[in-house]
Amino acid sequence: MKPSILLAALLATGSLTANAMAKSEETLAPAVNLAPELVESTSYKPISQSAKLKNVMVALDMMESEVILINIETDAIIQQRLDDLVGWPGGRPQHVLVSPDAKWIYVTTDASADVGASIVVLRVYNYAWKWGFAELEITKVLQAEPAGTQSRFDTPTQVSPTQPIASWTQPAMTQIHGPTILPYSDYVYFTQWTDNKIRVIDTELQEFANVDPIVINGVTENTHGVFFNKSGTLGISTGYYYDNGDVDLFSVDKKTGALTLQKKIRLGDEQAYAAFTHFNTWIDERYAVTASMQFGPTSHTPAGVNILPPSVWMIDTWEGKAWPILGTASNDNEAGVLRSASDVTVAAGKLYVAEEDSIDGSYGDDGFIAIYDLTDKSNPQFIKRLKPGQGLPTDFAVAHGLGVSADQRFIYISSYASKYILKLDTLTDTIVKTYGPEDGLTMPHGGFVSGAIR
């Protein structure tokens, strides 16, 4: 029996075929094998287990215009300026995608009054981990929007003390977010969160695909990524904005990259729904998990409708239905979502929820990682919550993004607000490596792990 929406109110997560031509295979981090102790515990598996799959985590330092490269096997780190590369278009980097073989990197840049919003294609010839250097070349700059292109948000006003309107949710100009890979195809996807376009790149040509841009009025506005199941047959999007309570379900044409809307799945019903979702994670070919961030109503909330506070939802894509599996926690020792749920992922049979303090009345005071046993996918069992000073650095805040290594052994936690990238061991659920301000990080963002599809 699925929990009712009222109960949720009470309880107040294919290979990328991208011209893989690199000079030095042996300089990449070694290929991975699925850890035997994890095989039976979960259906989450890497998109490929071939020798081409490499073990590299990539992020961006937005304030320094740097790419951050981490060798998952050795913990070696490379930080390299992007604006020193020939052909760099300018602009602040925002999100990044890396191919499974770690030879191709796609970096998005924000539009400003002087530069356009672009997707920059980098070819990696060599990872010289010992020397802290990577041989990179810009092979293509795909401009999504010209300089000065304004964002198109229907900005709400505050009507409840539970839900302010955060300034960061209103960037003035185009930003490109939500990079994902369509498995077993030639396509990667990005979304212009600041308007209504889904961008599709043909990785064989390193050009925008023939179907680009995908625009569906009333559907693709303020989308933060289209997330695909492991066979690449279905995709589900998020609604990363106030009062957007739908997850949009698409069927996929892997030959062309086209997306066809199948259904808008509401996280709730006509009387109450959850809203403002950032990421989705697939459990298997049918089921996926998402989580919400919004606390209360805004001027855009329909009259007589309740906004369910932050919660985690199971999505049955075959039936086109969603129901809550975790409500809202009232303190940091109990099950449920304590802060806005910025990200959710599944690894080693467990559900990990990144909780960030970002859209309530006071920004960036703390951040948490909540961990649940997912043996029963509709009834997660609370294991523990990592807290600042208790499992996380004392000054940790805003747990923004999660990236899983291909063997599910490690999760990388990115916090742009407190300047950390943390490596979590899923066998012990402890932080085993910390990268932070002492390593020169100033605003790490957009982490993506090779072998992942989001």
Side-chain angles (χ1 to χ4, degrees):
M1 185 77 176
K2 299 172 185 175
S4 69
I5 301 305
L6 289 178
L7 175 59
L10 292 173
L11 290 175
T13 177
S15 300
L16 172 63
T17 55
N19 307 324
M21 298 171 60
K23 293 180 181 175
S24 179
E25 280 274 358
E26 63 273 13
T27 57
L28 296 171
V32 300
N33 295 310
L34 194 65
E37 64 269 28
L38 302 180
V39 171
E40 296 182 0
S41 63
T42 175
S43 61
Y44 187 101
K45 295 181 180 179
I47 195 64
S48 167
Q49 294 182 44
S50 71
K52 293 182 178 179
L53 181 62
K54 302 301 177 182
N55 230 356
V56 179
M57 187 268 189
V58 183
L60 300 170
D61 197 318
M62 295 194 294
M63 293 302 292
E64 302 295 333
S65 292
E66 288 182 346
V67 63
I68 302 165
L69 308 167
I70 294 174
N71 185 320
I72 296 174
E73 296 291 330
T74 68
D75 294 333
I77 184 171
I78 296 171
Q79 296 160 269
Q80 201 150 315
R81 291 196 69 88
L82 293 166
D83 50 10
D84 285 342
L85 298 176
V86 175
W88 179 251
R92 185 179 72 169
Q94 176 80 236
H95 275 276
V96 66
L97 180 151
V98 61
S99 64
D101 59 13
K103 296 176 183 177
W104 293 90
I105 296 173
Y106 299 77
V107 175
T108 74
T109 66
D110 297 342
S112 69
D114 302 315
V115 299
S118 299
I119 301 170
V120 183
V121 184
L122 301 176
R123 182 177 174 180
V124 186
Y125 289 104
N126 182 21
Y127 289 86
W129 297 107
K130 181 178 179 180
W131 307 108
F133 175 79
E135 187 179 353
L136 307 173
E137 178 189 12
I138 294 175
T139 65
K140 191 74 63 93
V141 176
L142 304 175
Q143 187 178 93
E145 301 293 345
T149 303
Q150 299 291 310
S151 299
R152 294 186 306 185
F153 288 108
D154 186 5
T155 306
T157 57
Q158 183 174 351
V159 298
S160 167
T162 63
Q163 190 54 73
I165 308 303
S167 60
W168 67 263
T169 64
Q170 314 298 314
M173 298 183 188
T174 301
Q175 293 185 357
I176 305 171
H177 291 239
T180 56
I181 297 172
L182 177 59
Y184 312 111
S185 82
D186 294 330
Y187 301 105
V188 297
Y189 293 72
F190 297 82
T191 53
Q192 289 179 198
W193 168 57
T194 49
D195 54 65
N196 64 347
K197 295 179 182 177
I198 298 173
R199 309 311 304 252
V200 189
I201 295 176
D202 183 329
T203 62
E204 287 292 334
L205 302 175
Q206 302 294 17
E207 298 283 358
F208 286 120
N210 290 334
V211 298
D212 175 87
I214 296 174
V215 177
I216 306 174
N217 290 329
V219 174
T220 54
E221 290 83 1
N222 309 135
T223 297
H224 190 281
V226 179
F227 304 88
F228 301 101
N229 61 1
K230 296 170 185 63
S231 65
T233 57
L234 295 173
I236 49 175
S237 71
T238 59
Y240 194 43
Y241 203 62
Y242 300 99
D243 296 282
N244 190 329
D246 293 324
V247 169
D248 302 315
L249 174 65
F250 301 94
S251 59
V252 185
D253 185 334
K254 285 188 281 188
K255 292 183 179 179
T256 67
L259 304 176
T260 301
L261 180 68
Q262 297 298 307
K263 186 174 183 180
K264 297 177 71 170
I265 302 173
R266 176 56 60 99
L267 302 180
D269 57 23
E270 294 181 354
Q271 286 74 46
Y273 62 87
F276 211 130
T277 54
H278 193 195
F279 285 101
N280 300 325
T281 293
W282 287 82
I283 295 176
D284 53 30
E285 291 296 292
R286 177 175 180 174
Y287 293 99
V289 177
T290 195
S292 66
M293 299 179 66
Q294 189 168 335
F295 288 90
T298 75
S299 60
H300 286 172
T301 308
V305 173
N306 292 320
I307 294 295
L308 301 175
S311 46
V312 177
W313 294 70
M314 184 65 64
I315 303 165
D316 182 342
T317 62
W318 293 3
E319 295 292 332
K321 299 177 181 179
W323 61 94
I325 58 174
L326 287 171
T328 306
S330 60
N331 63 70
D332 60 14
N333 292 314
E334 70 176 30
V337 182
L338 182 63
R339 301 286 185 258
S340 291
S342 177
D343 201 355
V344 286
T345 198
V346 174
K350 289 174 280 189
L351 172 69
Y352 295 81
V353 183
E355 301 174 337
E356 69 172 36
D357 181 37
S358 61
I359 63 169
D360 60 6
S362 178
Y363 177 85
D365 294 327
D366 52 35
F368 304 88
I369 303 294
I371 306 169
Y372 300 84
D373 184 294
L374 204 60
T375 301
D376 179 352
K377 62 178 176 288
S378 282
N379 187 28
Q381 296 300 303
F382 184 57
I383 298 174
K384 66 178 179 178
R385 180 176 278 109
L386 302 181
K387 313 169 189 179
Q390 299 181 45
L392 301 175
T394 302
D395 59 346
F396 184 85
V398 185
H400 189 63
L402 304 172
V404 183
S405 65
D407 64 357
Q408 306 169 64
R409 178 62 187 272
F410 301 109
I411 295 176
Y412 284 86
I413 303 160
S414 299
S415 169
Y416 65 88
S418 55
K419 308 178 184 180
Y420 286 110
I421 296 175
L422 307 178
K423 182 182 183 182
L424 182 147
D425 187 331
T426 61
L427 290 184
T428 63
D429 286 329
T430 59
I431 302 302
V432 294
K433 180 65 178 178
T434 298
Y435 305 90
E438 68 278 5
D439 299 293
L441 301 186
T442 58
M443 191 177 281
H445 186 262
F448 203 107
V449 180
S450 60
I453 57 176
R454 71 89 160 167

